[in-house]
Amino acid sequence: LVVWLHVKAGCSRAISNAILQATALLIDTVFTLLVAALASQGLKVKMPHLAIPRDVRTAYKRFFAEPKITRKVCCPECLNSSEYPVDEVPLTCTYRTSPKSRPCGASLFRTVRTRKGDRTDSSCLLTTQSVSSWIPSFVKRKLIDDALHEHFRNQRPDTPNEFHDVRESPGYKSIYGDDDGPYNLVFGIYVDWFQVFKMKIGGKKASSGVIALYCLNLPPHLRYEPENLFIVGITPPTSKTNHRNIDNLLVPIINEFIDLDAGIDTPTYRYPRGARVRVRIAPVLADTPARVLMSGFSGPSATRCCAFCNCTIHQKAELDPDKWNLRTGGEVRTQATKWKREKRWNKRKIMTMENGVRWTPFHSLDYFNPVKHVVLGYMHNWLEGVLEEHLRNFWGIGRDKAHEARAKRAREGRPLDDQSEIDDDSEAGQSASEVEDLSEIGSQTGEQDDEPDMQHDRSATPVASQGDVDITMGTGSSTPTLRSTSRATNVPPSHANTPIEDNARGIQEGENVAGRQMVYDMPTAHIDAIRQCIAQVTLPTWVGRPPANLGEADHGSLRANDYLVLFSFILPLVIPELWYHSDSPPEDYLHLTCFEHLVVCTNVIIAFKTSEADADLYSRCYIEYRRTVKKLYPTWAPKPNHHFAMHNGDILKYWGPLPSLSEFPGERLIGILQDVKTNGKLHDLDFTMLHQMGQRSILKIAMQDDDILQPLGRILEPQIKSIDAPQEQMSGLEEAEYMEAATPLERLEYDDLLAYLRRTGKYLLSVYDPLARTANGSYLLPRVHRRTEVHIGDRTFSTRTSHLGNSAVYFIHP
């Protein structure tokens, strides 16, 4: 109990130790009273002495294992850690990028002043964990082993028409191909940099990067739980990561995965004598800056800015996919190999400018496809990219200072400044501190993040050069965590596939419908109507409500989930009332058409199931959206982020629903790391965070698996359910009473329910199947109790007859 209070609830060590001592006193008092009570009855007994630890750290070590964490001396400049044995560390870094290059020369030691005098300490330590040592404990757990076998037993050999999870997608199935098995594990690798002390305006600042693995073999409800993921390492906050030193950080990790691909023999829950377990990693899950570093592609400001096609920065407005010349994995691997063989950095720079590719340790993995195994995160690209651009800059609801100044010049008819400057600013998503870090790199820096960071104002202009294609993760690029989740309403197919007839309302092809209005500003009355809808619309209690004063500076930055709720739930209720009238001018009709396309794309992107038809629908509507935007907002120049979104259709077809591979779980992990209490010493921050995360996972797993701790776990962690909890079996009388009060299922309902249960691993027979009547097995009964609401965690889901607030509203275009 006290260990849980300290590790999970955040009690300090002093308070936890006081609770331990108080608990010891209480137990001694109870024993003394028992001895006195028994003595009054003539019974003399001697109670045992319980050795309760006086320190919570001792209590933890007595019952739980410590996380296996490795700390290596690391160069603060080049991040090299492989060449320095513990007892033979030189004073300065001796790493060379090539045999003829100069050694790095950075100091590996520093002088630390203490009360006892000065002492010499390592200037930088790399904190990591071994995947090989974690895998055996992972597959030994009954919960995990059962989930792996259930998935392997129930997976379909063919590709379904609808994808409900990444495990059904062609991308997932291609990683092992026909050589599949329950212990062929696939891990998605998530990478992001974050501010350790959060986005504080003043005080100490530090940035670290987290590298985490998610087992895609697990079902979604287990996949992203903190105890089921593995943090490979946390980069030291005293160093800066860029494309020149990222390889030194990745090489030891990738080498371990090369060995794991061959497999390791380890005991599992079902096979105590051992089974062959293989591990592969794909895809890379990250925002644009981290994705650029990990995958080896150029950033948004480079000439070859796209990781999926050979489109140049000047072709970002091109809407014809046939003109993009899609990249292939073999082509990229060949270009990367040539880059690696070239030892001269100036030649490498030229090669990167020509094809937008450099070598990365991921290319050492034979099964890794450099193009298809890199995923475009929809949280940054769509929610905080496309949707934010539409709300803030197209409609003018909350424009930042730079875009507002440019809009003012456009209204006054004055010449506009270079659009590329403001594009770089809006695409960078860099805070003021990030700009300082980029300026330290100087001319090395040439790539910025195109995904806006909603934590701060983005008015500062990043320092960038046109020549090199470098990107530095000097400070945090994380985004706020998801406050709540929500489901998207389905789009009526008949409406979604209806072609847009601009000419029917008098809008000619190529005509600038905005006329003299070069910049659109949503009327104040429209904004007031939107704010009123935000304040009054009925939403489930667990859906985060966006600020009712939308567009004003005092509500702070919007979160990714705010954009999701706005464009999927709230704006579709109010926008048609503003722009759809019999006497509406043509530009209002076009504004509504543009918004309709955007909502269709949003509902496809955020849906938890998808299909090839949905992916094609997204592609069609997004192209129409960008064509309409071009007519409505003539001063707007497309950004690389908008071109990246053109590839979401192909990603949906290859990887399935994007929420299965979103950044939200990673952002939640970063939020947990930021809340870890540290002593504020930069030299040990990464170790403290990783150590405490490991302790939390070990403690929670023990509460799940240990028979003695399970009752306590159900109290402290209500979401934990005993793995071996027996199912309550009805008696014959109870079953008869239940069936008497049940109502019959319609045949269509019965078939749908049976198909769903089979898809989730519960194989039941149908009472309507004459061939199954003689078979031994469990049947799905045709009578049910119809419930009007169900409680899942802290959320309540209701039927429409019970609570109209959970019903959906469609706007159907005539």
Side-chain angles (χ1 to χ4, degrees):
L1 171 63
V2 179
V3 167
W4 182 88
L5 290 173
H6 176 62
V7 173
K8 181 67 183 294
C11 286
S12 66
R13 199 171 74 209
I15 294 176
S16 301
N17 293 343
I19 296 174
L20 278 174
Q21 297 173 33
T23 304
L25 176 61
L26 287 172
I27 293 178
D28 287 342
T29 303
V30 170
F31 280 5
T32 302
L33 292 175
L34 286 173
V35 170
L38 293 172
S40 65
Q41 301 295 325
L43 299 174
K44 293 183 179 181
V45 296
K46 184 179 181 180
M47 290 293 180
H49 174 69
L50 297 184
I52 295 181
R54 300 176 63 87
D55 192 293
V56 68
R57 293 173 295 181
T58 306
Y60 180 90
K61 292 179 181 179
R62 181 175 294 182
F63 296 104
F64 308 103
E66 283 285 354
K68 297 178 181 179
I69 299 176
T70 303
R71 303 198 80 187
K72 293 182 180 179
V73 175
C74 175
C75 175
E77 297 296 331
C78 67
L79 294 182
N80 180 55
S81 61
S82 59
E83 295 187 351
Y84 312 126
V86 177
D87 54 345
E88 300 179 6
V89 180
L91 294 177
T92 59
C93 179
T94 59
Y95 175 76
R96 300 172 183 265
T97 57
S98 66
K100 295 184 178 181
S101 63
R102 296 178 180 179
C104 172
S107 176
L108 299 180
F109 293 92
R110 59 176 184 146
T111 301
V112 182
R113 293 184 177 180
T114 65
R115 294 179 180 179
K116 298 181 180 180
D118 294 349
R119 65 179 175 87
T120 302
D121 196 4
S122 56
S123 58
C124 186
L125 293 172
L126 182 63
T127 305
T128 59
Q129 296 185 105
S130 171
V131 185
S132 303
S133 62
W134 173 75
I135 288 295
S137 62
F138 180 69
V139 295
K140 271 186 179 180
R141 296 168 54 196
K142 183 179 187 301
L143 180 69
I144 300 300
D145 205 3
D146 287 348
L148 295 178
H149 279 84
E150 182 178 352
H151 163 59
F152 177 70
R153 183 175 60 252
N154 295 302
Q155 64 180 339
R156 296 174 52 178
D158 59 330
T159 301
N161 295 326
E162 283 189 343
F163 307 132
H164 295 81
D165 185 48
V166 63
R167 298 183 298 175
E168 301 175 358
S169 67
Y172 174 86
K173 295 180 179 180
S174 68
I175 294 177
Y176 283 102
D178 296 332
D179 184 18
D180 200 4
Y183 297 120
N184 286 350
L185 305 183
V186 180
F187 283 89
I189 181 167
Y190 174 83
V191 185
D192 198 4
W193 275 256
F194 62 98
Q195 287 283 1
V196 176
F197 303 111
K198 301 184 179 181
M199 293 294 185
K200 296 191 302 182
I201 297 178
K204 187 181 294 185
K205 291 181 173 61
S207 173
S208 285
V210 59
I211 304 174
L213 301 177
Y214 302 109
C215 183
L216 301 183
N217 303 66
L218 297 179
H221 71 279
L222 296 177
R223 183 180 304 153
Y224 301 112
E225 290 297 319
E227 69 273 14
N228 298 333
L229 61 85
F230 181 73
I231 302 178
V232 179
I234 299 178
T235 62
T238 54
S239 65
K240 291 181 174 62
T241 310
N242 54 48
H243 86 280
R244 291 178 181 268
N245 58 26
I246 186 66
D247 291 351
N248 290 334
L249 181 67
L250 292 178
V251 164
I253 300 173
I254 299 301
N255 287 341
E256 187 173 15
F257 279 107
I258 293 176
D259 296 335
L260 287 171
D261 185 25
I264 57 174
D265 293 322
T266 179
T268 69
Y269 181 81
R270 296 195 179 193
Y271 301 97
R273 294 188 177 182
R276 173 70 61 161
V277 178
R278 298 177 62 189
V279 177
R280 289 184 173 182
I281 51 173
V284 175
L285 316 174
D287 60 4
T288 293
R291 188 176 68 250
V292 165
L293 283 178
M294 302 295 285
S295 62
F297 290 104
S298 298
S301 63
T303 302
R304 300 286 182 183
C305 58
C306 184
F308 307 101
C309 69
N310 286 299
C311 169
T312 66
I313 192 71
H314 307 293
Q315 296 175 304
K316 57 187 177 181
E318 179 58 58
L319 301 181
D320 186 0
D322 295 333
K323 297 181 180 180
W324 293 341
N325 187 17
L326 296 177
R327 295 182 187 265
T328 63
E331 170 197 6
V332 171
R333 192 181 295 272
T334 301
Q335 294 170 344
T337 303
K338 291 181 179 178
W339 187 96
K340 183 184 179 182
R341 290 173 179 171
E342 177 58 60
K343 300 302 180 181
R344 293 171 293 182
W345 276 102
N346 58 340
K347 294 291 186 180
R348 287 182 172 183
K349 181 190 295 186
I350 295 174
M351 295 171 66
T352 307
M353 293 178 63
E354 291 177 350
N355 52 46
V357 174
R358 64 172 179 82
W359 188 85
T360 174
F362 279 93
H363 295 140
S364 301
L365 301 172
D366 295 335
Y367 58 84
F368 188 84
N369 188 313
V371 178
K372 292 189 174 183
H373 289 173
V374 177
V375 174
L376 185 65
Y378 90 97
M379 189 186 88
H380 290 90
N381 169 258
W382 191 262
L383 299 181
E384 293 186 341
V386 175
L387 296 188
E388 186 214 0
E389 178 79 5
H390 196 94
L391 181 75
R392 298 182 66 183
N393 296 331
F394 291 173
W395 288 354
I397 304 179
R399 283 196 185 103
D400 56 31
K401 296 178 181 179
H403 283 89
E404 184 56 39
R406 195 172 189 277
K408 183 179 179 181
R409 288 192 293 270
R411 295 188 201 99
E412 297 172 354
R414 291 188 290 156
L416 301 179
D417 292 344
D418 184 16
Q419 177 69 27
S420 62
E421 179 181 349
I422 195 170
D423 284 349
D424 288 342
D425 174 54
S426 61
E427 291 165 10
Q430 308 277 6
S431 63
S433 60
E434 286 177 293
V435 176
E436 295 174 4
D437 291 329
L438 291 173
S439 63
E440 293 176 6
I441 306 299
S443 61
Q444 295 179 5
T445 311
E447 297 176 9
Q448 313 295 329
D449 181 11
D450 63 295
E451 298 156 349
D453 187 27
M454 299 304 301
Q455 288 278 9
H456 42 68
D457 191 305
R458 303 171 304 158
S459 57
T461 303
V463 178
S465 68
Q466 299 296 323
D468 205 349
V469 281
D470 186 9
I471 186 162
T472 301
M473 301 301 299
T475 57
S477 62
S478 66
T479 345
T481 56
L482 179 66
R483 294 189 304 192
S484 59
T485 56
S486 49
R487 295 183 62 189
T489 56
N490 291 324
V491 183
S494 59
H495 166 52
N497 292 291
T498 303
I500 303 303
E501 299 291 345
D502 289 348
N503 294 332
R505 295 296 299 271
I507 301 176
Q508 302 300 322
E509 181 67 27
E511 179 185 354
N512 176 16
V513 297
R516 294 184 301 273
Q517 187 179 2
M518 297 299 293
V519 176
Y520 180 78
D521 295 291
M522 182 169 280
T524 304
H526 289 10
I527 298 177
D528 291 340
I530 293 174
R531 291 172 178 171
Q532 184 180 10
C533 183
I534 293 174
Q536 297 181 359
V537 67
T538 303
L539 292 174
T541 55
W542 45 268
V543 172
R545 189 181 299 271
N549 60 339
L550 183 69
E552 296 181 0
D554 56 357
H555 66 62
S557 301
L558 295 181
R559 297 171 182 259
N561 192 61
D562 290 329
Y563 290 106
L564 186 150
V565 175
L566 274 172
F567 281 86
S568 190
F569 292 104
I570 295 176
L571 294 178
L573 300 178
V574 63
I575 291 298
E577 297 182 359
L578 305 179
W579 280 330
Y580 191 82
H581 302 285
S582 58
D583 55 347
S584 296
E587 56 266 29
D588 281 4
Y589 170 82
L590 202 55
H591 275 296
L592 178 59
T593 299
C594 183
F595 174 74
E596 287 174 350
H597 288 308
L598 187 61
V599 171
V600 172
C601 294
T602 300
N603 286 340
V604 172
I605 284 287
I606 69 175
F608 284 85
K609 67 176 181 178
T610 190
S611 63
E612 290 201 4
D614 289 337
D616 292 336
L617 171 63
Y618 167 87
S619 299
R620 290 197 306 270
C621 289
Y622 186 60
I623 291 174
E624 290 299 328
Y625 165 76
R626 290 192 58 181
R627 285 175 179 165
T628 315
V629 162
K630 187 176 180 181
K631 298 177 183 178
L632 284 169
Y633 313 103
T635 62
W636 174 79
K639 299 176 180 177
N641 192 59
H642 290 82
H643 169 76
F644 299 159
M646 298 287 287
H647 295 283
N648 276 328
D650 292 334
I651 297 175
L652 285 168
K653 292 180 180 180
Y654 193 71
W655 285 110
L658 296 187
S660 297
L661 298 172
S662 74
E663 307 97 308
F664 282 122
E667 298 292 345
R668 285 195 289 270
L669 173 62
I670 288 175
I672 297 174
L673 292 174
Q674 289 175 323
D675 289 336
V676 170
K677 293 184 178 179
T678 64
N679 54 13
K681 296 182 180 179
L682 294 180
H683 197 254
D684 296 323
L685 278 176
D686 49 343
F687 174 78
T688 303
M689 289 186 293
L690 189 56
H691 181 259
Q692 195 162 132
M693 284 297 297
Q695 286 188 330
R696 289 184 184 184
S697 299
I698 292 172
L699 179 62
K700 190 171 181 181
I701 291 171
M703 290 182 175
Q704 287 177 340
D705 299 347
D706 190 274
D707 295 336
I708 298 176
L709 290 181
Q710 279 179 4
L712 180 63
R714 287 193 289 269
I715 297 173
L716 301 178
E717 304 274 357
Q719 70 274 19
I720 293 180
K721 295 183 179 180
S722 174
I723 299 173
D724 297 315
Q727 297 292 330
E728 294 184 4
Q729 186 70 28
M730 289 185 182
S731 65
L733 178 61
E734 290 174 335
E735 185 175 349
E737 292 175 347
Y738 179 89
M739 294 301 296
E740 183 181 2
T743 58
L745 277 170
E746 298 289 341
R747 180 61 186 273
L748 182 60
E749 291 178 313
Y750 183 89
D751 293 341
D752 285 345
L753 181 58
L754 183 64
Y756 168 77
L757 292 174
R758 287 177 174 176
R759 189 169 65 244
T760 56
K762 300 177 179 64
Y763 189 78
L764 299 171
L765 301 176
S766 172
V767 296
Y768 298 105
D769 185 1
L771 298 178
R773 292 177 182 175
T774 58
N776 294 323
S778 299
Y779 291 82
L780 176 63
L781 298 179
R783 298 175 66 86
V784 295
H785 278 198
R786 296 186 180 272
R787 303 177 63 176
T788 58
E789 66 181 27
V790 62
H791 303 280
I792 302 177
D794 58 347
R795 301 176 181 174
T796 300
F797 297 85
S798 307
T799 61
R800 204 180 90 178
T801 56
S802 171
H803 181 37
L804 286 176
N806 285 357
S807 61
V809 178
Y810 286 153
F811 170 75
I812 306 266
H813 205 296

